[in-house]
Amino acid sequence: MSILLKTHLTRNVSRNIPATLYVGSSARYYATQQQQQQQQQQQQQQQHRKLPVDFSAIESKWQTRWRENAKIPKPVDASKPNYYTLSMFPYPSGMLHMGHVRVYAISDTIQRFRKMYGYNVLHPMGWDAFGLPAENAAIERGIHPSEWTTKNIAIMKEQMSKLCIDFDWSKELATCDPEYYQWTQYIFLELYNAGLAYQKEAVVNWDPVDKTVLANEQVDPEGKSWRSGALVERKKLKQWFFKVTEFADDLLKDIDRLDNWPDRVKQMQRNWIGKSTGAEFEFSISSVETKEPIKVFTSRPDTIYGVQYLVLGPEHPLVNKATLPKEQADSVLGFVEDLKKKQNMDEAEENKKGVFTGLYAKNPFTKEDIPVYVAPYVLSDYGTGAVMGVPAHDKRDFEFCKVNNVVDQVRFVVAPAIREVGQPLDHSSPYTAQGILTEASGPYQGMKSGAAGKAILKEAQKMGVGHPATQFRLKDWLLSRQRYWGAPIPVIHCPACKVVPVPKEDLPVHLPLDVEFSGKGQSPLAGREDWVNCQCPKCQGPAKRETDTMDTFVDSSWYFMRFTDPHNKTLPFDPVKASALLPVDIYIGGVEHAILHLLYSRFITKALLKQGAFNEASEKKPGHGEPFNVLLTQGMVHGRTFKDPKTQRFLKPEEVDASDYANPKMISTGETPLISFEKMSKSKYNGVDPVHVVNECGVDATRLHILYKAPPSEVLEWEDSSIIGMQRWLAKVLKMSQSLPTGSAPLLPVMNDMTKDEREMYRVTNQTIKQVTDTLTSNYSFNTAISDLIKLSNHVSSSATTVEPTSPVYQHAVQSLVKMMAPMTPAMSEECWEAATHHTCSSSSVFDESWPTFDAAALEKSELDCIIQINGKTRSSITIPKELLGNTAEIERRVRASDAGKKWISDKPIRKLIVAKKGELINFVL
Ligand code: ANZ
Ligand code: ZN
């Protein structure tokens, strides 16, 4: 049970993680950033002087050309397969951070590669634009959420344009746009009509001072309101839900189909769904006359003989004045009232306290009367909201028993299967594993836990006091929010007809813009009476609109579908178009969305598939309703952080002299500060502004640096000091490209006509093509791809004396190198491509080239490194051309001529020459 409670707690914690990548701002932050920037500028200007390449001029040159070229629409080649690359769309906070740059650098690299590799690629971008921060801005700064959002989108789009990310902006969408939320509302109605959307009472966070509902994010860890500071209360209100639980089994089962998702994410999904099998038992109440027995869910039916009491959750229906015995009622209800005020007790001692209800129930197997308690460790919304207390075999129950003095003697009914003879059982702590049933289990003594559980369950069914049961931890999705900045739930409440869905032809239900924001009292929508009051679509009588809006997770649970057909005016998307592009081939985003966003997207896809929203005939279609094929969860970007070693205080950039990168000093004392890499945050003064870095270092070097520093799923420790290495490499490749002669490209000779050095360069080139292609199609470890490319460029430059730039093999190597770099470093690669192909190539962009293919025959080395043994002892090694392998006389001649040969063989005759391991080992027997 403790495990159960813990998981519930961690779930609540992760629920508090904002759904968006919101980054706030404050004047102070900007000030320190500026100072930091000045320092960085000085540092980088010095570096720039050493570089002969003007990266920013090259970037603007190509950005302009791309813009010009984009004006000429390119025909779509329908014979090519489709490929859908998607990076999670951002919340328009108004500021791009390094995390964004990392995701987009990854998705842009993949999609540019796929285009060259022969695919029709979809790579769209949009805005997860509804949500709380906009509303808070309205309350705090008096700026309308709509205005705030529009402004932020413009700023971020401008920042994105600097990154040379090739998004298809013709497909842009914003979830706060009526053209989008009309279809969010449509999908709500689809689910409503399918019986998958319903209303029921649920607990909300209530601020008793401002008299308003709070989102989880607005309740601080002490359980107080972010605004008023009042202790937040729990209040029941009617809420809208999506029936996610209807798909619980499919959502669980289909995780096994997600071969290209990280195991960690799959496990998180499984845990969240939390399937548990066991039994439901009924305990009749023996002390008073009631017909209703107490039902409990247990995963351990084999422990039924060890049940020594029952515990009800505080919200169990039996916990009320009418059903509780008079003498106890007041104290029990008082106990429950007190609990409501202590929301955040978690594992504290408090949580273990319970109260006796005065009721007794009968254990259907032992026939004993056992006491019934109420305690907060029993969750009201899991199982039946009541548990059978087995102190001997459950840790929580054991502790509860101790704290509340429930029984004199704990009864052990299961014992370890393997135990030393004569060793007494340890009864000082609970035994929670499975084992063999003891004599305390009556007729089941000696059986193993598993078999005993089954037999007990069978007997319970016979007696009519139990049956097998399955429980899911997964809950239905509470989607209504008592907030303004979201899609209005398209429902009308009529006094006569009750809940009436808005007819689809009346969509969208517009979100009125002219409302008042105070953050207090009723939601801004409820204040607009002219909007709230409407006509019932059924009986035409006066009725009222639903004033709740939808959780922003609803918006983001289907945006990837809309991208397949973003301008559709009659449907959320055309089934044929969507089915041709879905599932998304690769989805890239932060691991903070590993649970809810992905689960909700999977649910909506499954629900819509069931509703027939996809085209069965299409080849690709999201079969089984799984929306994302490959999932790439990128790690965080951490910043270099300085702390005062004495006080542990975080140091501002202006307090540290970091001009010598490896040797920073505190300006005030000259001491060396503590250095660590931590999540970038305002309070740690370790944030790095990507726009600034791009301006200073060039976008290509920045992209390379991000891709090179760490594999995508790992933490990236940001250090601008090492970008210089990438800049140098780019400069080197440019120089190499410029060294190629003008004139028409000569044809590659056949391998046999290549010189030995050409042959080796050709081999390294092909080997690199093979490796980089593998990386970009299967494991996405861009860092290894980059190091492979660096190795190729090193090989080419170190062979420059033996293979001239006029050699077709040299040109092939450099051109392949440039093509393979292009997805990662678009502008520089264009520049290199132009230089390398100057007069020879008809196409003007490297992105019009196909991805290089490799020649499998070239992968084999033309030479062999052989270990030379003499009489079985390793003496030296030589390199011989492969074709010499059969020519033993020549091998002997060469070995005899070598230093080792002269020393160990001299003029002795050779009895036998043994060639082993395909020639890698040659043994001379004298
Ligand atoms: C008796 C028992 C004996 C239990 C034993 C466990 C071990 P999972 O597997 O996570 O589903 N439980 C049931 N409903 C609960 C609720 N609403 N709040 C808190 N705990 C609850 O957990 C199932 C177990 O969690 C159940 O099995 C029950 O304790 C507890 F040796 O019943 B058990
Ligand atoms: Zn009506």
Side-chain angles (χ1 to χ4, degrees), residues 703-868:
R703 286 170 59 128
L704 265 185
H705 180 64
I706 286 179
L707 295 172
Y708 186 63
K709 274 271 352 232
S713 57
E714 283 171 26
V715 165
L716 190 158
E717 297 188 340
W718 182 264
E719 284 174 288
D720 358 52
S721 68
S722 48
I723 294 190
I724 182 80
M726 290 298 153
Q727 291 177 318
R728 287 203 185 108
W729 182 54
L730 289 171
K732 175 175 159 175
V733 178
L734 181 59
K735 213 167 150 202
M736 222 180 245
S737 309
Q738 286 161 341
S739 75
L740 297 195
T742 55
S744 59
L747 285 176
L748 268 177
V750 292
M751 274 196 284
N752 282 343
D753 293 345
M754 292 179 189
T755 66
K756 181 170 143 276
D757 292 315
E758 281 181 331
R759 177 73 185 77
E760 182 59 6
M761 187 180 287
Y762 189 60
R763 187 189 68 79
V764 174
T765 307
N766 278 282
Q767 185 65 38
T768 310
I769 296 173
K770 180 178 188 296
Q771 280 162 204
V772 173
T773 311
D774 274 355
T775 299
L776 293 182
T777 49
S778 62
N779 63 27
Y780 312 102
S781 36
F782 307 99
N783 52 330
T784 44
I786 295 169
S787 75
D788 289 340
L789 293 172
I790 293 175
K791 273 186 213 146
L792 173 60
S793 66
N794 287 343
H795 182 91
V796 173
S797 58
S798 67
S799 314
T801 48
T802 50
V803 184
E804 295 277 317
T806 47
S807 158
V809 175
Y810 185 100
Q811 294 175 27
H812 170 254
V814 174
Q815 292 189 358
S816 302
L817 170 68
V818 172
K819 282 191 222 169
M820 288 190 278
M821 285 166 63
M824 301 188 242
T825 58
M828 271 305 279
S829 301
E830 288 276 39
E831 187 71 12
C832 293
W833 187 249
E834 192 181 55
T837 57
H838 212 83
H839 299 296
T840 64
C841 208
S842 58
S843 93
S844 55
S845 167
V846 68
F847 296 105
D848 293 332
E849 294 297 313
S850 340
W851 188 253
T853 51
F854 65 89
D855 176 355
L859 298 181
E860 288 194 22
K861 277 193 168 187
S862 61
E863 297 190 316
L864 263 182
D865 297 319
C866 328
I867 292 171
I868 302 300

Side-chain angles (χ1 to χ4, degrees), residues 357-571:
T357 60
L359 296 171
Y360 285 89
K362 196 171 272 317
N363 180 328
F365 279 75
T366 64
K367 312 286 188 230
E368 291 162 295
D369 283 329
I370 51 173
V372 180
Y373 280 74
V374 172
Y377 82 89
V378 177
L379 305 165
S380 299
D381 53 2
Y382 186 68
T384 60
V387 305
M388 56 187 223
V390 185
H393 302 293
D394 184 279
K395 198 166 156 275
R396 272 243 111 105
D397 292 350
F398 190 86
E399 281 166 7
F400 180 80
C401 246
K402 252 194 345 211
V403 171
N404 298 285
N405 263 321
V406 180
V407 290
D408 296 334
Q409 180 123 53
V410 169
R411 186 190 307 144
F412 282 77
V413 296
V414 182
I418 302 165
R419 183 155 43 105
E420 267 175 53
V421 188
Q423 194 202 342
L425 282 166
D426 169 21
H427 283 179
S428 63
S429 60
Y431 173 68
T432 57
Q434 303 216 334
I436 305 282
L437 271 65
T438 67
E439 70 277 0
S441 293
Y444 303 94
Q445 178 182 0
M447 288 175 85
K448 281 189 186 156
S449 281
K454 276 189 197 129
I456 286 169
L457 203 46
K458 214 166 173 189
E459 181 61 22
Q461 273 176 294
K462 228 199 271 163
M463 295 194 285
V465 295
H467 55 85
T470 306
Q471 273 303 321
F472 285 96
R473 221 163 268 150
L474 182 70
K475 305 255 158 46
D476 281 342
W477 175 4
L478 196 170
L479 69 105
S480 44
R481 296 286 179 274
Q482 293 70 46
R483 316 230 63 90
Y484 167 72
W485 194 233
I489 292 175
V491 158
I492 287 165
H493 299 277
C494 166
C497 323
K498 305 291 174 233
V499 173
V500 183
V502 172
K504 281 181 180 165
E505 57 275 18
D506 292 351
L507 296 182
V509 175
H510 275 281
L511 185 66
L513 291 179
D514 183 15
V515 292
E516 236 181 87
F517 300 95
S518 65
K520 295 178 194 168
Q522 57 189 1
S523 95
L525 276 185
R528 272 283 306 258
E529 280 188 25
D530 55 333
W531 181 85
V532 172
N533 292 321
C534 64
Q535 208 179 34
C536 168
K538 238 186 190 163
C539 70
Q540 319 307 322
K544 285 189 188 306
R545 285 193 192 283
E546 172 66 68
T547 55
D548 283 358
T549 55
M550 290 187 233
D551 177 8
T552 55
F553 273 124
V554 184
D555 308 325
S556 58
S557 68
W558 76 281
Y559 78 107
F560 50 91
M561 307 183 200
R562 181 70 179 171
F563 273 142
T564 66
D565 189 16
H567 308 298
N568 197 319
K569 295 250 184 292
T570 54
L571 281 174

Side-chain angles (χ1 to χ4, degrees), residues 583-601:
V584 172
D585 289 279
I586 185 163
Y587 194 33
I588 305 131
V591 77
E592 67 273 24
H593 296 293
I595 301 179
L596 292 185
H597 165 57
L598 294 175
L599 188 80
Y600 292 154
S601 302

Side-chain angles (χ1 to χ4, degrees), residues 239-257:
Q239 305 277 327
W240 282 96
F241 289 84
F242 281 150
K243 233 187 231 172
V244 183
T245 52
E246 177 127 337
F247 290 83
D249 261 319
D250 286 343
L251 288 167
L252 182 68
K253 218 168 59 240
D254 291 345
I255 293 174
D256 294 339
R257 299 180 191 280

